[in-house]
Amino acid sequence: MSLSPEARKILAGITTATITTVLLKKGLRNVWMRGARPLRPGLPRLVGPAFTLRFVPAREDLATPESWSSPISTRTAIEAMPEGCIAVVDAMGITDAGIFGDILCARMMKRGVTALVTDGVVRDVEGVLGTNLPVWCDGYSAPPSVAGLTFVGWGEPIGCGGVAVFPNDIVVADQDGCVLIPQAMLDHVLNEGVEQERMEAWIVNEVNNGAVLPGLYPMNAETKARYAASKK
């Protein structure tokens, strides 16, 4: 799925917190990926279609340094990543084996990958930071992936941070973490997210002017009328 420049621009102006609220109103409660936090403070909000990768627990005959040369390897998967995607990696929340290090992250940058998101960790953290690849993860560790994980494939449904992620679902990542937008919900979020941000900005302004919360947030009929008038 390609994401239009206009859609990217709109989503870049909608916080992950707002997106969770918009999706909650449609009954989707589980869209925030647990454990995926920005590796570097101050990263901008980023948007992209998900390119999925999956690890399973380490099995000694498969999780070996030799497996890095296998046709089914993280190296091969990176070469399949399209420009503009966000790589979303299911590491099952394992935090004592780094899924990617500086070399792999450097190659992702060269391929134009927007960001890396995982419920696991990275290694070679100084080098990873030096690549300038935006990363959301659960920290860092020294051991390589094969010390605790077996890589099994890409381009299939995964679970990341307790959230079901299908290839080409939309991922939005900011300082509050990473949120998934199902493909079928994209237009709804684009429309309702902008309005939610506008409404909340108006409410904040009212609070700054001394308004009390009851009747303001959530709005009662009188407040809704005042807000509607403010948009004319």
Side-chain angles (χ1 to χ4, degrees), residues 2-201:
S2 60
L3 191 61
S4 71
E6 180 182 5
R8 284 181 182 268
K9 182 177 180 180
I10 293 172
L11 289 174
I14 304 174
T15 67
T16 55
T18 291
I19 292 170
T20 62
T21 299
V22 169
L23 292 175
L24 177 63
K25 291 177 180 179
K26 298 295 285 186
L28 279 75
R29 298 176 179 273
N30 188 33
V31 295
W32 180 78
M33 299 178 209
R34 300 154 188 83
R37 300 183 298 273
L39 184 62
R40 185 198 305 272
L43 288 173
R45 185 171 301 114
L46 295 174
V47 180
F51 181 94
T52 59
L53 302 93
R54 185 165 69 94
F55 285 88
V56 298
R59 206 178 79 182
E60 286 72 11
D61 61 325
L62 298 175
T64 65
E66 290 74 23
S67 68
W68 294 332
S69 299
S70 166
I72 301 177
S73 68
T74 52
R75 281 73 170 159
T76 307
I78 287 172
E79 298 306 319
M81 293 179 181
E83 182 177 358
C85 76
I86 289 183
V88 184
V89 184
D90 175 4
M92 304 180 302
I94 288 176
T95 58
D96 57 0
I99 59 162
F100 290 160
D102 52 356
I103 295 174
L104 274 62
C105 288
R107 180 56 183 160
M108 292 168 68
M109 276 294 289
K110 285 293 185 181
R111 290 197 56 79
V113 172
T114 295
L116 167 64
V117 170
T118 182
D119 55 1
V121 300
V122 296
R123 65 194 298 244
D124 306 314
V125 64
E126 289 187 11
V128 170
L129 290 170
T131 69
N132 291 320
L133 177 72
V135 176
W136 276 258
C137 64
D138 200 16
Y140 37 85
S141 67
S145 60
V146 293
L149 295 161
T150 302
F151 183 68
V152 294
W154 63 92
E156 59 184 325
I158 62 169
C160 183
V163 175
V165 183
F166 285 73
N168 294 319
D169 282 339
I170 306 305
V171 176
V172 181
D174 64 15
Q175 292 301 302
D176 282 348
C178 304
V179 170
L180 177 127
I181 304 173
Q183 293 182 51
M185 301 298 295
L186 176 59
D187 288 342
H188 175 75
V189 172
L190 290 173
N191 293 327
E192 295 300 319
V194 171
E195 172 56 22
Q196 184 77 22
E197 291 281 5
R198 182 188 295 118
M199 180 185 69
E200 292 192 3

